[in-house]
Amino acid sequence: MKRLIEGYRQFRRTGWPRERALYAELAKGQAPEYLIISCCDSRADPALIFSARPGELFVLRNVANIVPPFEQGGGYHGTSSAIAFAILQLKVSTVVVMGHAKCGGIAAALDREVVAPMPFLSEWISLLEPAVARCAQDGGDRHTEVEREGVRLSLERLMSFPFIAERVSQGVLRLEGARFGIADGQLEWLDKETGLFKPVH
Ligand SMILES: [Zn+2]
């Protein structure tokens, strides 16, 4: 708690005065251009990685940056409701699904025992099963491959949302994929032509 209050005080001394005019403008309304869908992991913070200022990124974080399939009725659609708001109300022009190295959610997808003692997680992680299945033959770094495949799968699922598919086909919405390396700070970006992730230089 003390750490947070100290951090806030530092923000009031430095960050707040620096961005005061921007915050005044943003108080009238937000108009972020980007929806970033990333993991809850404390080491992969989109605002830090993209050097974002307040108001620039609409960030949706969940365990393993998973987009569930489009479905109506039943349940509390936390992830899908944030996606709908970003697309339909804020009218973001780009959605980026960003995975990351050493993802615990991916580790759980590869070994479900990891999440067995915890509520909710096993069902959530089961959404990654198609990504795990597609990497079944990989003899290399399977964990990393599933991290990348999870991003591809989330991008595919975004296209199952009718209002997203419609905007993508109209050319008013772009869907992008990325993965952050943590240990080396390297971001890799999904090349949609080759389907491969390439380091950003
Ligand atoms: Zn993660």
Side-chain angles (χ1 to χ4, degrees), residues 5 8 12 16-17 28 32 35-36 55 57 63 66 91 105 107 112 114 124-125 147 153 164 171 174 179 182 188:
I5 298 300
Y8 167 69
R12 284 293 286 188
W16 169 251
K28 298 172 195 164
L35 163 62
I36 312 290
L57 308 180
V63 174
I66 295 171
K91 298 182 168 58
R112 298 286 276 283
V114 174
W124 179 250
I125 289 300
E147 284 166 2
L153 179 64
I164 291 182
R174 297 166 61 101
R179 179 181 162 276
I182 297 187
E188 46 183 41

Side-chain angles (χ1 to χ4, degrees), residues 6-21 23 53-54:
E6 279 169 7
Y8 167 69
R9 286 178 180 143
Q10 188 186 329
F11 163 75
R12 284 293 286 188
R13 279 195 305 273
T14 58
W16 169 251
R18 188 175 63 236
E19 300 287 21
R20 191 169 189 161
Y23 276 115
R53 294 179 72 195

Side-chain angles (χ1 to χ4, degrees), residues 39 41 64 100 103-104:
C39 185
D41 195 293
H100 69 95
C103 183

Side-chain angles (χ1 to χ4, degrees), residues 146-161:
V146 178
E147 284 166 2
R148 293 177 180 136
E149 199 57 39
V151 171
R152 294 188 189 98
L153 179 64
S154 283
L155 291 169
E156 287 166 27
R157 291 224 180 97
L158 282 171
M159 288 296 280
S160 72
F161 289 63

Side-chain angles (χ1 to χ4, degrees), residues 9 22 26-27 38 48 56 61 68 72 81 83 87 90-91 106 127 130-132 142 150 155 162 173 182 188:
R9 286 178 180 143
L22 178 59
L26 289 170
S38 57
L48 278 174
E56 284 189 304
R61 299 179 78 165
Q72 285 170 311
S81 62
I83 291 169
I87 306 290
L90 299 176
K91 298 182 168 58
I106 300 295
L127 287 167
V132 173
R142 191 166 180 226
L155 291 169
L173 181 66
I182 297 187
E188 46 183 41

Side-chain angles (χ1 to χ4, degrees), residues 109-132:
L110 288 166
D111 178 7
R112 298 286 276 283
E113 290 299 306
V114 174
V115 287
M118 287 172 273
F120 313 119
L121 277 161
S122 199
E123 207 175 352
W124 179 250
I125 289 300
S126 73
L127 287 167
L128 284 168
E129 275 168 9
V132 173

